[in-house]
């Protein structure tokens, strides 16, 4: 496959994935972005900054390298590019990153709370709590905000010893959710699940303010029937 064909295919996937965000009710206005990396070439394709979904085209997607340097595209890349780049550098197994300001997930991020695994819907995708980062410092915000956002996500996963493939998402304190996956489609799906379980968890705590997370054996059962060598859910 030539580089030109590779880039065109990536642009089409990233464009389609970006359009899926408003369709799923995860973004309003221009509040979201999807990117994809090709590990062999080191190329990243990402949504352009501030372009309305209604007028955006596949050819508008911006191509950069793993240092965030623009290689192709007439428009500026998403302002969150540096965050995506840091996640790609740290989480070698992922190939796509999604950021939204979806309402239910943002509620938990603004509260500075991780999302406990209260049920099997959560456990099907996230193997344990969805973590929330610490608040960025004033220096981090003023010096290199988007880069430091990526750094604080990576820091959170290292400090809590969380596998980013087992927990494919995070809440950035006071900001919102990032999710990822091995394809743009899967990363978007993880964003959809994250917002759903955020809403479910919030209402669960209203219904029962002494609720506890599901036991480990139930978490294991639901996560591993969909993931890993012994998965059996679906037409595997």
């Amino acid at each position: 496959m030539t580089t030109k064909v590779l880039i065109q295919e990536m642009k089409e996937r990233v464009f389609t994935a970006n359009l899926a965000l408003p369709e799923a009710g995860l973004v309003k206005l221009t509040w979201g972005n999807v990117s994809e990396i090709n590990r062999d070439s080191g190329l990243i394709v990402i949504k352009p900054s501030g372009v309305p979904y209604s007028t955006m085209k596949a050819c508008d997607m911006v191509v950069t390298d793993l240092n965030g340097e623009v290689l192709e595209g007439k428009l500026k890349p998403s302002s969150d590019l540096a965050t995506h780049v840091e996640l790609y550098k740290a989480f070698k197994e992922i190939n796509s990153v999604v950021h939204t300001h979806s309402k239910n997930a943002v509620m938990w991020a603004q509260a500075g709370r991780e999302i406990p695994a209260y049920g099997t819907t959560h456990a099907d995708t996230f193997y344990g709590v969805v973590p929330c980062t610490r608040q960025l410092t004033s220096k981090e915000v003023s010096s290199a905000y988007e880069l430091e956002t990526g750094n604080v996500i990576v820091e959170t996963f290292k400090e809590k010893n969380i596998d980013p493939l087992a927990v494919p998402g995070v809440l950035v304190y006071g900001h919102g959710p990032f999710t990822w996956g091995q394809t743009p489609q899967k990363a978007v799906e993880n964003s959809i699940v994250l917002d759903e379980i955020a809403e479910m968890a919030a209402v669960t705590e209203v219904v029962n303010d002494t609720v506890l997370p599901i036991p480990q054996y139930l978490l294991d059962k639901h996560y591993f029937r969909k993931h890993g060598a012994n998965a059996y859910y679906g037409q595997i």
Side-chain angles (χ1 to χ4, degrees):
M1 181 185 300
T2 66
T3 301
K4 182 177 180 180
V5 172
L6 171 67
I7 290 173
Q8 184 57 39
E9 290 185 354
M10 290 177 70
K11 284 184 175 182
E12 291 290 346
R13 285 194 296 270
V14 171
F15 172 66
T16 299
N18 273 288
L19 290 186
L21 298 180
E23 290 174 0
L26 296 179
V27 302
K28 292 180 170 66
L29 302 177
T30 60
W31 302 347
N33 45 74
V34 181
S35 72
E36 179 184 359
I37 187 172
N38 179 278
R39 294 290 181 177
D40 293 332
S41 67
L43 296 174
I44 295 171
V45 173
I46 194 168
K47 176 184 177 289
S49 180
V51 175
Y53 291 91
S54 60
T55 60
M56 193 171 62
K57 302 178 179 64
C59 61
D60 294 329
M61 302 301 105
V62 183
V63 183
T64 80
D65 61 18
L66 195 49
N67 293 316
E69 296 295 325
V70 175
L71 303 176
E72 180 180 317
K74 298 179 181 179
L75 301 174
K76 294 190 300 182
S78 167
S79 57
D80 293 306
L81 172 63
T83 306
H84 291 234
V85 167
E86 289 308 300
L87 295 179
Y88 287 135
K89 288 180 177 178
F91 301 158
K92 304 296 186 182
E93 304 90 346
I94 70 172
N95 298 315
S96 182
V97 173
V98 176
H99 173 51
T100 76
H101 286 251
S102 62
K103 185 180 296 184
N104 296 302
V106 166
M107 289 178 186
W108 288 81
Q110 291 182 169
R113 286 191 58 193
E114 64 187 19
I115 304 176
Y118 285 138
T120 61
T121 309
H122 182 126
D124 283 340
T125 301
F126 295 92
Y127 188 50
V129 301
V130 177
C132 184
T133 71
R134 63 171 173 80
Q135 182 66 276
L136 290 172
T137 66
S138 175
K139 182 179 180 181
E140 287 168 334
V141 170
S142 61
S143 63
Y145 176 55
E146 290 81 12
L147 176 115
E148 295 295 352
T149 298
N151 286 338
V152 78
I153 293 171
V154 175
E155 170 193 296
T156 299
F157 274 68
K158 286 183 177 178
E159 287 186 351
K160 295 180 181 294
N161 195 28
I162 300 173
D163 179 354
L165 289 184
V167 180
V170 68
L171 304 173
V172 177
Y173 192 117
H175 186 171
F178 284 82
T179 63
W180 45 81
Q182 294 183 322
T183 66
Q185 180 183 8
K186 188 63 179 177
V188 169
E189 179 182 308
N190 290 336
S191 283
I192 293 171
V193 174
L194 178 55
D195 204 62
E196 288 293 311
I197 64 173
E199 182 178 24
M200 291 176 185
V203 177
T204 296
E205 292 189 354
V206 171
V207 175
N208 179 359
D209 61 7
T210 61
V211 65
L212 297 174
I214 57 174
Q216 186 67 41
Y217 63 82
L218 187 56
L219 179 73
D220 289 347
K221 181 63 178 180
H222 269 262
Y223 183 79
F224 289 113
R225 74 175 189 161
K226 281 193 171 184
H227 306 271
N230 297 316
Y232 62 88
Y233 178 89
Q235 302 305 309
I236 298 173

